[in-house]
Amino acid sequence: MDHAAHHTSTGHDHAARHGDQNLGGHAHGGASWGVAAKATLHCLTGCAIGEILGMVIGTALLWGNVPTMALAITLAFLFGYSFTLFAVLRAGLNLKAAIKVALAADTVSIAVMELVDNLIIALTPGAMDAHLSDTLFWSALLGGFAVAFVITTPVNKWMIGRGKGHAVVHAYH
């Protein structure tokens, strides 16, 4: 995925890349809501692919709730990190450095999204026992993603504004 979309300006000054002054067009180290939303959407895309795949696999294999959720969460982190990892590898980082950037960029965002999304699914009556063909399965899963996006975007805005989270990726494109 192209991280260039995260920038709201065409210039790439040192301070903007590191969240020190004017990231996303806001003074005092703040990030714009647009930058935060794009970073959250980027992260959510990887998480959603992994989580849906894990839920589908676990449900199709008739696994219980705990192993299905464990697989879904593991795959959400794996796919979430992989989007950033591949982007920074393409930018020329070696594998060790790229892994460090992906972990720094996405860990908090993915963790918050997974916590919120899985909590929504677990608290939706009947969702944990729903089958792939049930509307409840898909509405709880997709509804959880929507709520996770709304809750994670301000977290990412705060982190990017302080040069943390997805802001570390900006230095590599």
Side-chain angles (χ1 to χ4, degrees):
M1 180 163 269
D2 183 355
H3 284 83
H6 296 301
H7 291 289
T8 57
S9 65
T10 56
H12 289 120
D13 68 349
H14 178 78
R17 285 193 312 250
H18 292 87
D20 296 334
Q21 292 177 8
N22 199 19
L23 183 63
H26 288 228
H28 311 296
S32 73
W33 283 105
V35 168
K38 288 176 184 176
T40 305
L41 186 58
H42 171 267
C43 205
L44 181 63
T45 301
C47 288
I49 291 168
E51 186 151 343
I52 290 170
L53 184 60
M55 292 294 220
V56 167
I57 290 169
T59 302
L61 295 176
L62 303 176
W63 288 1
N65 293 336
V66 172
T68 297
M69 286 186 96
L71 176 63
I73 291 167
T74 299
L75 290 177
F77 272 91
L78 180 71
F79 278 87
Y81 286 137
S82 70
F83 278 27
T84 298
L85 182 67
F86 293 135
V88 295
L89 283 171
R90 279 193 315 267
L93 272 97
N94 64 44
L95 182 60
K96 184 177 178 180
I99 289 171
K100 286 181 180 182
V101 168
L103 291 173
D106 295 330
T107 298
V108 172
S109 183
I110 295 171
V112 171
M113 273 190 252
E114 285 305 297
L115 176 67
V116 171
D117 180 52
N118 283 285
L119 192 58
I120 297 290
I121 293 167
L123 294 176
T124 301
M128 294 298 294
D129 298 318
H131 298 283
L132 294 175
S133 59
D134 295 339
T135 302
L136 180 59
F137 174 89
W138 294 103
S139 62
L141 189 61
L142 298 176
F145 291 146
V147 173
F149 177 83
V150 169
I151 291 174
T152 306
T153 299
V155 172
N156 282 331
K157 182 182 185 309
W158 182 82
M159 289 179 57
I160 293 167
R162 282 150 187 77
K164 309 274 187 218
H166 221 76
V168 299
V169 174
H170 291 263
Y172 301 101
H173 47 98

